[in-house]
Amino acid sequence: QAQLVESGGGLVQAGESLTVACKYSARTFRGYGLGWFRQGPGKEREFVAAVNWKGDEYYADSVKGRFTASRDFNTRTLSLQMNSLKPEDTALYLCAADRRQWYSGSDYDLSHFGPWGQGTQVTVSP
């Protein structure tokens, strides 16, 4: 059973930076994309960023230009560098694997993803 474990969350002030990571084991997920999602208080889970099997990156409009996702196949780690953080970025950040092998489109609805990690909390104070 594949496991995804997120880490690196914390409390930061608006304008600061933070990097969260997702380490996966039991599977290499080669041929599959990996994505970051977030769920804020009282909100639905939403797409943040993804790196497909080729290494192409996709971002939600709300984080484009501020967040950078990267993937290291050797260390089996998906990272999310978050700059210029805003209070509205406060959320539980979760990583998940795309169930579609060799997918290179732009549809990153969360229904296509699983398994999921437990998440890491990011809180941005004003």
Side-chain angles (χ1 to χ4, degrees), residues 2 19 26 32 43 49 73 81 83 90 117 120 124:
T19 298
Y32 293 87
K43 297 181 180 179
F73 286 96
Q81 169 73 40
N83 298 326
T90 294
T120 186
V124 185

Side-chain angles (χ1 to χ4, degrees), residues 57-116:
E57 301 163 28
Y58 293 86
Y59 299 95
D61 288 342
S62 59
V63 306
K64 204 171 291 184
R66 299 188 298 124
F67 290 13
T68 302
S70 60
R71 182 173 178 177
D72 187 324
F73 286 96
N74 292 326
T75 62
R76 300 188 185 183
T77 302
L78 175 72
S79 299
L80 185 68
Q81 169 73 40
M82 303 181 288
N83 298 326
S84 302
L85 281 161
K86 305 175 182 179
E88 51 263 43
D89 295 318
T90 294
L92 182 70
Y93 282 73
L94 308 101
C95 66
D98 194 334
R99 296 191 184 95
R100 302 162 296 180
Q101 194 174 22
W102 312 122
Y103 181 74
S104 57
S106 58
D107 174 13
Y108 288 98
D109 187 89
L110 60 86
S111 64
H112 300 304
F113 284 76
W116 293 81

Side-chain angles (χ1 to χ4, degrees), residues 2-3 5 14 22 25 28 44 49-51 61 65-66 76-77 82 96 98-100 104 108 115 117-118 121-122 125:
Q3 282 192 317
V5 180
C22 170
S25 61
T28 64
E44 295 187 351
V51 182
D61 288 342
R66 299 188 298 124
R76 300 188 185 183
T77 302
M82 303 181 288
D98 194 334
R99 296 191 184 95
R100 302 162 296 180
S104 57
Y108 288 98
Q118 294 299 307
Q121 180 66 37
V122 173
S125 63

Side-chain angles (χ1 to χ4, degrees), residues 9-59:
L11 173 63
V12 297
Q13 292 188 327
E16 293 184 340
S17 298
L18 192 66
T19 298
V20 292
C22 170
K23 197 159 179 68
Y24 50 96
S25 61
R27 285 182 59 185
T28 64
F29 291 112
R30 287 191 184 274
Y32 293 87
L34 292 169
W36 283 105
F37 295 77
R38 66 186 181 187
Q39 188 161 12
K43 297 181 180 179
E44 295 187 351
R45 192 169 297 185
E46 63 177 1
F47 169 73
V48 175
V51 182
N52 70 13
W53 64 276
K54 296 188 291 181
D56 300 328
E57 301 163 28
Y58 293 86
Y59 299 95

